[in-house]
Amino acid sequence: SAQVVPDPAPTQSLGGSPSREGWVFGANQLSEAKGVDMVYALADALPEERFVLIGSAQHIKKLDASNAVHLGSCSREEVLQQVRKARGLLVPSRICENQPTTILEALSLGTPVIGTAAAGIPEAMEGGGIAVPLSVESWVSAMHTMKQDQDGWVRRATLAAERFTPQAVQRIWSELFVELAGDASNSYTHTRPS
């Protein structure tokens, strides 16, 4: 049988308890494939919410919503600070993503995730986020759900991150190697030439 071993999440230590406000969306390259147009549709649908976009926007025509701030490319530390203080990370990707590191980083910071119900996104955020189809109504509903129980979602995100700690992933690999070694010793017979 096949077993998927996750990548370990980068360990974060930024200290303190952040105030949770606004929603963050980040990608190295902001594009429709990554869902930047969905973020702007959400900004239009929810004018009372604040959206922070992080990443290069060379190919984006529209970056003009009064409640959406585009920070451009930022250092890793700046990105982590923005994710840490956000109410949630938005991952409206249209491409098949296996295990986006941004999700693992957000969970390790206690930041819950709302992501596209496709490819590896739901599995990566399992327990620490909400997977939804790419419709504005579904995303607005998920955002309201998360906002209504922010403390509960922060706890869920923190618990979900435990699956991706380096120690947890090392334990999975160790168990897998022990299992494989046991299978190998049972499968092969060593005979001595006479």
Side-chain angles (χ1 to χ4, degrees), residues 24-65:
V24 69
F25 167 79
N28 286 332
Q29 188 68 244
L30 301 183
S31 66
E32 286 189 19
K34 289 287 191 172
V36 70
D37 55 318
M38 174 61 83
V39 176
Y40 276 103
L42 292 169
D44 289 343
L46 298 167
E48 72 283 2
E49 293 290 344
R50 181 173 181 267
F51 296 84
V52 175
L53 291 84
I54 302 170
S56 173
Q58 296 174 8
H59 307 291
I60 301 302
K61 294 177 184 137
K62 180 182 177 187
L63 287 172
D64 60 345

Side-chain angles (χ1 to χ4, degrees), residues 105-168:
E105 289 174 332
L107 295 175
S108 73
L109 294 167
T111 301
V113 181
I114 300 174
T116 307
I121 293 173
E123 184 179 351
M125 65 182 186
E126 184 179 326
I130 303 172
V132 292
L134 277 172
S135 76
V136 173
E137 298 78 23
S138 297
W139 283 73
V140 167
S141 176
M143 291 168 73
H144 283 303
T145 297
M146 198 169 276
K147 188 175 177 179
Q148 289 174 347
D149 184 20
Q150 186 68 57
D151 291 340
W153 281 103
V154 168
R155 281 191 302 280
R156 289 180 193 105
T158 302
L159 286 172
E162 291 177 8
R163 295 178 299 135
F164 303 107
T165 64
Q167 297 82 4

Side-chain angles (χ1 to χ4, degrees), residues 18-22 50 80-87 111:
S19 61
R20 300 283 178 171
E21 54 189 48
R50 181 173 181 267
L80 294 176
Q81 286 292 349
Q82 291 296 322
V83 170
R84 182 173 176 270
K85 68 183 183 181
R87 180 169 285 125
T111 301

